[in-house]
């Protein structure tokens, strides 16, 4: 038998699969097929999700995280997901501060004080960071560095910042009206379809500046579409905030980033000239799903036995007490 977890960070939800339970790891094709079925709002379980987080052994770290989007594409990183993987591996190994392996870096994670009763929290290192066109990649935009830059091919007046953390992000600071308007979806769909600018797609975030060190972020995700939160998106947005609004944000200072699913804290660090972002937020497990290994491999979900953990009620109490819920509630996606 195999047990998966339904998890979320800021209501950015995933199925977490520890593949070390399996007699042999899934192939990339099997993982992509499983993800497309399991996360589908109609054919999946528990109303679907925003992706699958697969854990495998990795020498020298507590484990490796692989991120699969709902469309079956693989992502270079997932910030909200990394916090839930950190919790899973912490509870599996008893460690509270360790590294998780990804194809691009071994990332530091740590258990943090709970955000509220019944709302466990973890921090996750978001890195490596690069502004280089080759890192996103982007092309045909008339520049090789996009920081606070108008890109007329994409929008007539918004100023964008493009950064890989290491998955690709395009960020713009907008008004409350723009945040809820049609442009984010239009740009997100266009740059994640066949286009000459971001050939591998890009996560697009619109953020409203609420005050010093305080943002509200909404993301149209590469390979997924709108989600309630995007951890790497909120991390990239905080870095862009510091670079483009230096009188309202600063390195090594705690930022609060609200999103339709809740809230995270971010701190941008710069060590030896290299940026990395510390992402702190909830790691909630809402259910466990148990089924025979053969059924999992064949994506035969009828035999799945689902058990609720009861944690979601505590998370909803925490979120209900947050400011900016009125704005969030107009933007929340089905979990
Ligand atoms: N869709 C993203 C991966 C998931 C990132 C997001 N869920 C996060 O929390 O960072 C991509 O393909 O780059």
């Amino acid at each position: 038998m195999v047990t998966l977890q339904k998890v979320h960070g800021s209501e950015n939800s995933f199925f977490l699969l520890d593949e070390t339970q399996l007699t042999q790891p899934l192939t990339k094709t099997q993982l992509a097929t499983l993800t497309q079925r399991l996360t589908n709002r109609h054919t999946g379980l528990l109303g679907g999700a925003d992706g699958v987080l697969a854990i495998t052994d990795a020498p020298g770290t507590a484990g490796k995280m692989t991120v699969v989007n709902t469309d079956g594409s693989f992502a270079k990183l997932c910030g909200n997901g990394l916090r839930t993987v950190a919790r899973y591996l912490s509870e599996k190994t008893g460690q509270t501060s360790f590294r998780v392996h990804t194809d691009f870096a071994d990332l530091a994670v740590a258990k943090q004080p709970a955000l509220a009763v019944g709302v466990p929290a973890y921090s996750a290192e978001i890195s490596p960071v690069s502004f280089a066109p080759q890192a996103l990649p982007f092309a045909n935009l008339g520049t090789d560095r996009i920081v606070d830059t108008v890109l007329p091919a994409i929008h007539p007046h918004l100023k964008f910042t493009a950064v890989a953390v290491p998955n690709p992000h395009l960020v713009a600071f907008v008004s409350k009206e723009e945040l809820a308007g049609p442009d984010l979806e239009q740009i997100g769909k266009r740059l994640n379809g066949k286009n000459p600018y971001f050939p591998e797609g890009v996560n697009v975030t619109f953020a409203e500046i609420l005050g010093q060190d305080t943002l509200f972020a909404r993301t149209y995700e590469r390979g997924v579409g709108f989600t309630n939160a995007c951890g790497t998106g909120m991390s990239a947005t905080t870095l862009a905030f510091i670079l483009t609004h230096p009188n309202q944000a600063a390195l090594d200072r705690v930022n609060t980033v609200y999103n339709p699913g809740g809230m995270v804290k971010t701190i941008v660090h710069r060590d030896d000239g290299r940026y990395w972002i510390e992402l702190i937020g909830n790691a909630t497990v809402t259910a466990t799903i148990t089924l025979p290994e053969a059924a999992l491999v064949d994506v035969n979900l009828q035999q799945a036995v689902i058990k609720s953990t009861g944690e979601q009620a505590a998370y909803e109490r925490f979120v209900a007490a947050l400011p900016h819920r009125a704005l969030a509630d107009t933007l929340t996606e089905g979990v």
Side-chain angles (χ1 to χ4, degrees), residues 12 14 50 67 69 73-81 167-169 203 221-224 227 229-233:
N12 182 203
F14 304 95
D50 300 326
V67 181
N69 289 315
S73 66
F74 285 72
K76 293 176 179 174
L77 187 55
C78 174
N80 290 319
N167 59 336
H169 287 274
N203 299 283
E221 284 197 35
R222 168 186 176 277
V224 187
T227 59
C230 179
T232 50

Side-chain angles (χ1 to χ4, degrees), residues 172-174 176 179 205-211 214-218 228 234 237 256-262 323-332:
F173 295 100
V174 300
K176 196 180 291 295
L179 191 70
T205 296
F206 277 10
E208 181 190 359
I209 298 172
L210 298 174
T214 313
L215 298 168
F216 191 106
R218 187 186 186 207
N228 287 312
M234 293 185 282
T237 300
T256 302
V257 187
Y258 295 98
N259 53 69
H324 312 292
R325 288 315 298 162
L327 172 56
D329 288 343
T330 64
L331 303 172
T332 300

